[in-house]
Amino acid sequence: MSMSSATPSGLLGELLKHQLGRAPLGTALQYGSHKLTWRKLDSRVRRAATGLRAAMVRPGDRIGVLSPNHPACIEALFAAALTGTTAVLVNWWLPEEEIAEILRVRQVKVLFVAVELNEMLERIRPQLDDLDSVVMIGRPKGEPYATDDYELWLELHETGEGMYEAAQFHPHVDDPILQVEEADGEHLALSHRTLQLAVAAEPPAVGESKVVSEPLFRIAGMAAALHGLREGLRTILEHSEPIEGI
């Protein structure tokens, strides 16, 4: 399947809407043994968007994701695109003082954090005056009965059309929606238009699935994941370990 009819200058949400209309029960994302259909992914993005509005996040604000590759990274980006906010995907390989600086300078209001990074977050949180709420992703190891706060957060938010319409912001293609880091440490801010252009520059898809092991906090990783989604492929997110010396 291909989304060649979509223009690179379109809004990011059109990507998901297009594939949802074509194969709602097909697998969109896979993470470990977990699979999300296009319909389920759309529902989760809607819930994330209404959750951001409930957290009093407004157009122009920034939300953050501090996590290895996980569906929450993709869902936060689409929710940001819907609500007029910017998703800041933070390089979790950095020293914690640099992570604190990024979150502080960008005035992140809501932060989604992988549970394995919780101790680090607790050390830096006193420095983050603008951070209003934190949602933990995943369950602690060795605690099978613990809750996954991110999944619970999604479940708590309505997806009815009234709430969803209230959550939406009507964006322009040049509105910023994503901040990531390049391999050389440079920080990039991308709009709907520039992100779609990065996705369009990806090499043609081969086969029925696309494996993404590059970290999603880098434009190469996010562009690869969005390209897989754009082409209607089973997009498989793999955990990326820090490279020694980086």
Side-chain angles (χ1 to χ4, degrees):
M1 288 187 288
S2 173
M3 194 182 174
S4 56
S5 60
T7 61
S9 60
L11 298 172
L12 183 67
E14 295 171 3
L15 182 157
L16 181 55
K17 187 182 300 184
H18 179 86
Q19 293 298 346
L20 179 65
R22 297 184 65 171
L25 299 181
T27 299
L29 279 180
Q30 181 173 330
Y31 176 71
S33 61
H34 301 285
K35 298 177 183 179
L36 296 177
T37 64
W38 291 99
R39 182 175 293 167
K40 185 65 174 178
L41 178 59
D42 178 66
S43 173
R44 289 165 68 91
V45 168
R46 284 170 172 256
R47 289 177 181 276
T50 55
L52 291 178
R53 277 290 182 262
M56 303 301 290
V57 175
R58 296 290 180 258
D61 287 344
R62 296 180 180 89
I63 64 172
V65 185
L66 186 63
S67 173
N69 289 0
H70 187 279
C73 303
I74 304 291
E75 292 158 2
L77 173 60
F78 277 101
L82 284 170
T83 55
T85 55
T86 299
V88 180
L89 269 65
V90 183
N91 180 352
W92 58 278
W93 299 351
L94 292 172
E96 60 186 59
E97 61 271 17
E98 293 186 36
I99 291 173
E101 179 71 6
I102 290 169
L103 296 173
R104 183 170 58 250
V105 169
R106 285 159 181 74
Q107 299 177 313
V108 167
K109 299 291 183 65
V110 175
L111 182 63
F112 302 99
V113 184
V115 69
E116 60 264 38
L117 300 174
N118 184 45
E119 290 185 7
M120 182 272 290
L121 177 66
E122 290 301 311
R123 289 192 295 269
I124 67 173
R125 188 163 186 178
Q127 306 174 45
L128 308 176
D129 294 335
D130 294 294
L131 184 59
D132 292 331
S133 59
V134 172
V135 181
M136 304 305 300
I137 303 167
R139 295 182 176 89
K141 285 186 178 180
E143 298 183 30
Y145 301 109
T147 59
D148 183 326
D149 289 351
Y150 178 70
E151 296 297 327
L152 180 60
W153 182 81
L154 289 178
E155 287 298 320
L156 288 174
H157 292 98
E158 297 287 341
T159 56
E161 285 303 313
M163 289 292 291
Y164 181 56
E165 287 297 323
Q168 287 191 78
F169 172 78
H170 300 288
H172 185 272
V173 292
D174 291 319
D175 289 341
I177 54 170
L178 176 66
Q179 290 189 355
V180 289
E181 180 187 283
E182 284 281 53
D184 62 3
E186 179 185 0
H187 294 278
L188 298 178
L190 296 103
S191 64
H192 291 263
R193 189 195 305 272
T194 53
L195 184 54
Q196 292 274 30
L197 288 169
V199 173
E202 283 286 302
V206 177
E208 298 181 353
S209 62
K210 184 160 189 172
V211 177
V212 180
S213 56
E214 183 79 12
L216 295 174
F217 60 72
R218 296 233 167 103
I219 185 58
M222 185 58 78
L226 293 177
H227 181 263
L229 293 173
R230 191 189 77 161
E231 297 300 309
L233 305 175
R234 180 194 303 255
T235 301
I236 303 169
L237 302 180
E238 291 191 343
H239 182 85
S240 293
E241 293 293 343
I243 300 172
E244 188 174 352
I246 293 182

